Amino acid sequence: MFKALVLTQNDKRTQAQITQLEDGDLPEGDVLVDVAYSSLNYKDGLAVTGLGKIIRQFPMVPGIDFAGVVRESAHPDYQPGDEVILTGWGVGENHWGGMAERARVKGDWLVPMPLGCTAAKSMMIGTAGLTAMLCVQALQQAGIKPKDGEVLVTGASGGVGSVAVTLLAKLGFKVVAGTGRLEQNAAWLKQLGASDLIERSELEQDARPLDKQRWAAVVDTVGNKVLASALSQLNYGGVAAICGLAGGFALPTTVMPFILRGVSLLGIDSVQCPAAKRRAAWEQIVALLPDSYYQEACHEITLEQVPEAAAQIVKGEISGRTLIKVG
């Protein structure tokens, strides 16, 4: 028997309960993992609270990422005792996820634990950190360099944003952190490496088709008016790497930034990210993140505390990364 957080639905209301399960309850897969840690992402918050249509089949174990040790394997790349990470691939949405002491998944979805990393650290990074690294790599591949000017990170108080601020600062970029929680998080964002701060409300004004050039690049987790405003302020040849829609999925902009300033809009997805690209991103982020990140940007909860924390994260009341101690 093992412990799991199980979501069920009654009268269209999602209920979360700690439940004892057996290995036979788990879905199909060729690798069985003893889960040590998971993490709480915004998408997990929507799933656990039922406020988003994340899960369509119940019962479901949430948790879009986890880290642990292989218990059984029929996959050629993994043996019992191997330390592994899983992020994405619909786990925690349409395949039972990481908020349980055991998980059975496809071995092709797993990534070996990078050298110098641990299960706890990997989940302090998690889906959010992987996504942030992919955004930063996209800016670098597009030719953006520290000398080109300031980089704006929107939603900087969240999981993706806080990691993006840390990574960009570590790489020598001058980072401006945009947040709706400026008063509460100003000192913390400065500690992560932000050189300047901007209140989210300043970016939520109705954007002009073209505004004064300000940003060499943008990492956007918000979407909607915030992204539209950032696009209108990108320098000539600037780049926006976008990965979130915390502010909504609309994009009230025009073609003018693209055809008059030659800016680029790069969509970043970590869910279906190919294995080779995924492994390279994990190796780079583990090498780049300073020890201070794990101390300043992360806090730990138990499986029993997940429902309360899920309600907080969807209200924007949690900053940084939330680590879940499972096993």
Side-chain angles (χ1 to χ4, degrees):
M1 303 290 290
F2 62 90
K3 183 170 65 174
L5 181 69
V6 179
L7 304 183
T8 56
Q9 197 168 57
N10 185 20
D11 292 331
K12 297 185 178 181
R13 297 189 64 180
T14 300
Q15 298 175 326
Q17 185 174 3
I18 299 295
T19 305
Q20 292 291 321
L21 300 175
E22 298 179 353
D23 287 358
D25 296 321
L26 292 169
E28 292 183 358
D30 51 10
V31 180
L32 180 64
V33 179
D34 286 325
V35 178
Y37 289 92
S38 184
S39 67
L40 183 70
N41 298 278
Y42 185 77
K43 185 181 286 186
D44 295 315
L46 292 175
V48 173
T49 60
L51 293 176
K53 293 182 179 179
I54 304 299
I55 296 172
R56 301 185 184 277
Q57 294 182 338
F58 293 88
M60 177 61 64
V61 174
I64 64 173
D65 50 17
F66 65 78
V69 177
V70 173
R71 185 181 184 91
E72 299 174 2
S73 176
H75 192 282
D77 291 346
Y78 298 101
Q79 304 298 321
D82 288 348
E83 292 186 86
V84 293
I85 302 169
L86 185 141
T87 61
W89 301 111
V91 170
E93 300 176 64
N94 49 49
H95 187 99
W96 284 16
M99 295 188 194
E101 292 178 325
R102 287 183 194 163
R104 183 181 286 123
V105 296
K106 292 183 179 180
D108 289 345
W109 296 344
L110 297 170
V111 173
M113 186 69 65
L115 187 66
C117 194
T118 65
K121 282 188 174 182
S122 71
M123 287 299 99
M124 292 180 191
I125 297 168
T127 288
L130 174 64
T131 305
M133 187 72 256
L134 292 170
C135 287
V136 172
Q137 288 179 331
L139 297 186
Q140 292 179 308
Q141 290 161 7
I144 302 298
K145 297 179 175 58
K147 65 180 179 61
D148 295 331
E150 295 179 319
V151 176
L152 171 67
V153 176
T154 70
S157 294
V160 177
S162 59
V163 182
V165 169
T166 306
L167 292 171
L168 288 163
K170 181 73 173 178
L171 290 166
F173 287 91
K174 189 174 182 181
V175 186
V176 178
T179 179
R181 289 170 275 170
L182 188 59
E183 186 174 341
Q184 307 98 301
N185 292 335
W188 171 63
L189 288 168
K190 288 277 191 176
Q191 288 175 344
L192 292 182
S195 58
D196 203 357
L197 308 168
I198 185 170
E199 172 63 47
R200 176 172 166 171
S201 60
E202 291 186 40
L203 296 167
E204 287 181 318
Q205 307 298 324
D206 290 333
R208 301 175 184 176
L210 286 177
D211 210 332
K212 182 179 179 181
Q213 297 183 53
R214 183 169 183 181
W215 317 115
V218 176
V219 173
D220 177 68
T221 71
V222 179
N224 213 318
K225 289 184 178 181
V226 170
L227 176 56
S229 178
L231 288 170
S232 73
Q233 296 173 5
L234 274 171
N235 295 349
Y236 189 91
V239 178
I242 66 168
C243 61
L245 39 67
F249 58 77
L251 182 53
T253 189
T254 72
V255 300
M256 292 180 70
F258 307 100
I259 65 175
L260 296 182
R261 288 186 180 162
V263 308
S264 299
L265 186 62
L266 305 178
I268 305 300
D269 167 62
S270 66
V271 176
Q272 302 287 336
C273 180
K277 186 176 182 180
R278 187 183 292 259
R279 292 188 184 198
W282 270 107
E283 290 171 3
Q284 186 174 10
I285 194 171
V286 169
L288 280 176
L289 277 179
D291 290 340
S292 59
Y293 163 78
Y294 302 103
Q295 299 161 5
E296 295 165 0
C298 308
H299 67 279
E300 183 177 306
I301 63 173
T302 64
L303 207 55
E304 288 77 7
Q305 293 172 302
V306 168
E308 180 182 357
Q312 293 173 329
I313 199 170
V314 296
K315 293 177 183 176
E317 296 174 354
I318 289 180
S319 299
R321 294 282 294 144
T322 299
L323 177 71
I324 303 170
K325 185 172 176 57
V326 178

